[in-house]
Amino acid sequence: MNTHMRMAGLAAAVGLLLVMGPGCSTKAVQTASDSESGEPAVSKEPPVSEQDLLAKSPSGSGPAGGSKEIQVAKVAPSDAARRHAEEVKKERAASALAGLQDVFFGFDSWNLSEDGKQALEADAQWLQSNPDKVVTIEGHCDERGTQAYNLVLGEKRAKAVRNYLVELGVGSGRLTVTSYGKERPFCNGHDESCYQQNRRGHIGLRVR
Amino acid sequence: MKQIRTITVLAYVVVSAGLVGIMESAATDVFLEATRPDFQKIPIGVLEFQGQRVPGEAAQRVAEVLKADLQRSQIFSVTDLAKLGIKVDEKLDLLNGAQLPLFKQAADNGVAVLVWGKMATRDTDLVFDGYAYDGGTAELLIGKRYAGGPPTLRQMAHRLADELVSRFTGEPGIARTKIAYVSDQRGGRELFVMDYDGETPRQVTADGFLDLTPQWSPDRRYLVFTAYRNRRKQTVDMIELATGKRRTLVALAGLNITPVFSPDGRYLAFATSQDGNSEIYTLDLRTNGLQRLTFQPAGDLSPFWSPTGRELAFTSDRGGGPQIYIMNADGSNVRRLTFEGDYNAAPAWSPRGDWIAFVCRTQEALFKLCLITPDGQKRLQITTGPGIDDSPSWSPDGRHLVFSSMVDDQSHIFMINRDGTERERLTKGGMRHSSPSWSPA
């Protein structure tokens, strides 16, 4: 397929995913966490009126430059954080109960170690004997480096895990890949023992 | 008429700033460049404001906010008038040429501009009159009346500060700009917006998990950001600040991260891993046309437009570790910009175009901020100390940067001058604040 055709195909595929004009909602990707019901309350910057006291005509009164204040709507209270935290807890417990093992990486590396491969071989066996189960492979990083680069590094780790599981015969349709970079560490310390815990590919068993 | 007066004032400033520079050269302040190497700050004095009948020391609070704004502007240096014994009667109703000795005293002490104001109440509103005078001649340069409820007090000061900056530089001030950032909120990482001085933080999202890397639209109405509303499916979203209305702009397979608007607001540049590894794309917001810019079996991310919109700086690990590269906006003419050190990432092009700020790993393996010229000829490290520094973002006037710095469990947002001096912590409470992005002016 030539590049032109690929770009055209891509654009068409993306067209389905992208949201068109303003006001259009994106039902395809919106989740239940949307609080689209009703107009959000705008916590307006309190207005300041401004008048130039040096202006020749006294009619120079009014909110000159008043439109420049950035207005921020008030956020509706949400229990999303609690819900996410509960789900994470449940998934971690389910992964532990199933005996699924995580894999660990060297600094700035996404290469699987021999230990890591062994762990994944056990995970693959479990997945093959539990064909109805699906997992999310989360890539994690230690706190060093930038947020953005660690998102990419975490994804490389998660994909290395996914690719090895696929190589071992697990259907790729049962494996979702994501990366949390350094944002969701397992260990909250700031030394190498913690860093090592956080350079991780986590096998999260999906709970329904 | 107004035009003529403006020109006169500017001419005055250039001349007086030059003279003052000579006078001040023996003073203790070391003046570092603001816009050009020979720039000398303009000495300004803020007299005690009259506001006897207003409760809560409102007039004094306006004066304090104003002084902080002026000091931060890097255009002015704020003289301590009380120390020089320069003061006005607290009952003074109008400052003018009748108090000429006071202006002469100020001029003798090198004060080029004097600011005085008075505050009164009108119904439930505060009414603040702010005046700026030539320090020597008592000529009235600015007279503004601001009225609003007590919560607008800081805004009144910011407006007068911006008025002074724009009068003396011809450029908009930054006292009414805002900073978007990410903050922990009940376990989730949510977007927030605060004033440029760290005041009045406001929560923008409540997704409960992870929102990252906000960037402003040029018209300041929208933030675009990396969103994990669903823990497994991650998108690039845009939120309208005034309404909270939300749109998903990019939901391609894989990670969709580090979005940024082009300077004209028409395009979005971002990174997506739909091709297997992270690549940089642009999205035409008018036509929804997508264009892939990078084609590498490596991670390409964190695009940032040059102020002209003709080029993009970005992070790539195509050479091994992450380094900063520059390419044309159509993906052509890629060249590597950074060669010193094995970890350079998160580029931010200054609005003046002359520097690119980024995160550099030092020889001591610390993550600090560095600047480099777009031709790679000059490079310097501008932060030191133990923190893990990240996410540099320029002020719209190009004189300051904000960034996050993490030490142990605490991550805060700091402002610094672009030469690394005058570090100021902006976030107050809380534990983890990150991903700052400075709004346009």
Side-chain angles (χ1 to χ4, degrees):
Chain A
M1 195 158 42
N2 70 33
T3 322
H4 247 85
M5 282 169 63
R6 278 182 57 185
M7 285 309 294
L10 185 66
V14 164
L16 295 173
L17 288 164
L18 296 172
V19 185
M20 305 301 170
C24 238
S25 73
T26 57
K27 291 299 170 213
V29 287
Q30 277 176 354
T31 66
S33 69
D34 282 22
S35 50
E36 297 272 296
S37 52
E39 281 294 300
V42 179
S43 64
K44 278 217 172 6
E45 286 288 330
V48 175
S49 74
E50 181 175 326
Q51 182 186 346
D52 193 349
L53 298 172
L54 304 188
K56 288 281 171 277
S57 61
S59 62
S61 168
S67 62
K68 284 196 74 183
E69 263 15 283
I70 294 168
Q71 307 289 344
V72 179
K74 210 173 205 154
V75 140
S78 157
D79 71 339
R82 188 190 50 77
R83 213 177 53 237
H84 283 305
E86 274 174 16
E87 278 177 27
V88 169
K89 215 168 141 187
K90 264 190 220 161
E91 282 184 12
R92 299 257 163 105
S95 292
L97 194 66
L100 290 170
Q101 298 174 53
D102 290 353
V103 291
F104 300 91
F105 296 86
F107 177 68
D108 233 346
S109 163
W110 55 94
N111 292 326
L112 292 173
S113 64
E114 284 311 312
D115 284 354
K117 285 181 180 173
Q118 274 179 28
L120 291 179
E121 281 151 22
D123 291 341
Q125 267 187 5
W126 187 90
L127 283 164
Q128 269 153 352
S129 37
N130 294 274
D132 58 326
K133 300 292 188 190
V134 295
V135 296
T136 303
I137 304 162
E138 301 170 4
H140 294 271
C141 303
D142 70 42
E143 68 181 13
R144 292 170 294 175
T146 66
Q147 288 186 316
Y149 186 69
N150 277 313
L151 290 177
V152 168
L153 180 60
E155 192 189 31
K156 288 181 180 186
R157 287 176 178 160
K159 282 185 169 167
V161 169
R162 193 231 4 230
N163 293 348
Y164 195 62
L165 289 174
V166 170
E167 218 175 280
L168 295 169
V170 182
S172 62
R174 300 168 62 195
L175 309 170
T176 304
V177 163
T178 194
S179 169
Y180 301 142
K182 63 179 194 175
E183 311 306 322
R184 296 257 145 197
F186 280 69
C187 178
N188 286 309
H190 308 281
D191 51 19
E192 180 50 34
S193 70
C194 247
Y195 291 166
Q196 196 201 327
Q197 287 288 305
N198 291 334
R199 294 190 298 264
R200 174 190 297 245
H202 171 68
I203 314 291
L205 185 57
R206 196 88 63 86
V207 182
R208 297 181 206 241
Chain B
M1 178 58 203
K2 176 130 191 182
Q3 185 66 34
I4 290 165
R5 186 159 65 207
T6 307
I7 290 165
T8 316
V9 169
L10 285 173
Y12 158 79
V13 168
V14 170
V15 171
S16 71
L19 290 176
V20 165
I22 293 160
M23 287 164 54
E24 288 266 329
S25 59
T28 48
D29 276 354
V30 177
F31 293 133
L32 294 153
E33 52 98 28
T35 53
R36 46 176 208 272
D38 61 339
F39 182 85
Q40 298 290 335
K41 290 182 190 177
I42 301 160
I44 193 167
V46 179
L47 291 158
E48 196 170 322
F49 292 171
Q50 196 255 73
Q52 295 167 316
R53 289 180 299 276
V54 182
E57 301 188 319
Q60 269 159 274
R61 283 165 60 208
V62 169
E64 290 314 311
V65 175
L66 176 68
K67 281 188 219 171
D69 285 344
L70 294 172
Q71 194 66 49
R72 235 180 249 120
S73 75
Q74 299 184 52
I75 305 302
F76 299 100
S77 65
V78 179
T79 307
D80 187 345
L81 294 179
K83 214 187 237 174
L84 296 173
I86 301 175
K87 51 182 166 194
V88 287
D89 188 330
E90 58 180 24
K91 290 189 175 108
L92 182 71
D93 202 49
L94 186 64
L95 183 66
N96 56 28
Q99 289 88 21
L100 204 57
L102 181 137
F103 289 101
K104 186 162 182 314
Q105 197 187 354
D108 289 347
N109 284 285
V111 178
V113 184
L114 269 182
V115 179
W116 178 76
K118 58 177 181 176
M119 185 167 270
T121 51
R122 186 177 66 195
D123 302 327
T124 59
D125 276 359
L126 300 174
V127 179
F128 171 66
D129 292 348
Y131 299 95
Y133 309 81
D134 180 303
T137 67
E139 186 198 347
L140 187 55
L141 307 174
I142 292 171
K144 286 279 182 182
R145 169 167 294 175
Y146 304 108
T152 65
L153 204 141
R154 300 187 67 88
Q155 268 192 65
M156 295 181 186
H158 290 331
R159 280 179 180 239
L160 186 55
D162 278 356
E163 194 69 40
L164 279 154
V165 167
S166 86
R167 192 66 70 97
F168 283 83
T169 64
E171 296 165 18
I174 58 165
R176 289 195 291 151
T177 58
K178 306 244 182 198
I179 292 162
Y181 62 107
V182 173
S183 199
D184 271 15
Q185 183 71 8
R186 277 179 265 131
R189 313 283 298 281
E190 311 289 359
L191 301 192
F192 280 69
V193 168
M194 64 183 173
D195 293 350
Y196 93 118
D197 56 5
E199 296 293 326
T200 56
R202 296 235 158 98
Q203 190 174 346
V204 174
T205 61
D207 292 345
F209 192 64
L210 190 54
D211 289 331
L212 287 173
T213 68
Q215 291 284 339
W216 293 85
S217 64
D219 64 7
R220 318 196 306 176
R221 289 174 58 202
Y222 301 95
L223 293 177
V224 67
F225 59 102
T226 302
Y228 290 74
R229 272 202 280 195
N230 174 327
R231 284 185 299 114
R232 289 174 199 92
K233 179 68 204 130
Q234 183 281 315
T235 55
V236 166
D237 283 14
M238 178 164 93
I239 191 161
E240 185 177 29
L241 288 170
T243 62
K245 274 190 189 138
R246 177 95 164 245
R247 284 205 275 157
T248 292
L249 294 179
V250 184
L252 300 165
L255 279 188
N256 304 293
I257 61 170
T258 59
V260 61
F261 284 102
S262 62
D264 63 5
R266 171 153 182 190
Y267 298 93
L268 194 72
F270 63 98
T272 176
S273 64
Q274 68 157 357
D275 307 294
N277 62 76
S278 187
E279 302 285 2
I280 292 168
Y281 280 72
T282 54
L283 168 66
D284 185 332
L285 294 165
R286 219 176 287 169
T287 66
N288 283 325
L290 259 194
Q291 192 185 355
R292 180 172 169 181
L293 301 188
T294 58
F295 297 84
Q296 287 280 328
D300 297 311
L301 64 148
S302 299
F304 202 99
W305 304 82
S306 69
T308 61
R310 287 201 285 266
E311 292 171 302
L312 289 155
F314 62 103
T315 307
S316 177
D317 60 9
R318 59 187 67 185
Q323 295 290 343
I324 312 295
Y325 291 74
I326 296 179
M327 63 184 163
N328 292 355
D330 63 359
S332 67
N333 193 22
V334 182
R335 63 269 191 204
R336 180 169 162 180
L337 179 63
T338 53
F339 291 91
E340 203 168 316
D342 57 3
Y343 193 116
N344 296 301
W349 211 310
S350 87
R352 294 177 190 276
D354 49 356
W355 291 103
I356 291 168
F358 60 100
V359 173
C360 51
R361 182 162 57 189
T362 65
Q363 283 179 339
E364 301 77 39
L366 297 169
F367 293 89
K368 308 313 307 175
L369 297 193
C370 282
L371 300 183
I372 191 166
T373 51
D375 61 6
Q377 291 300 305
K378 259 170 87 183
R379 177 195 178 276
L380 45 126
Q381 184 185 327
I382 58 167
T383 61
T384 54
I388 298 173
D389 296 348
D390 198 359
S391 309
S393 174
W394 291 89
S395 61
D397 65 9
R399 293 189 179 94
H400 310 75
L401 289 151
V402 281
F403 64 101
S404 65
S405 188
M406 181 167 70
V407 178
D408 294 337
D409 291 328
Q410 299 256 332
S411 176
H412 283 285
I413 292 171
F414 295 84
M415 183 193 298
I416 45 166
N417 291 351
R418 80 163 175 198
D419 58 10
T421 58
E422 307 216 16
R423 181 185 176 114
E424 180 183 3
R425 187 173 128 186
L426 299 181
T427 42
K428 289 163 185 79
M431 291 283 284
R432 284 171 71 93
H433 310 281
S434 61
S435 274
S437 171
W438 208 316
S439 79

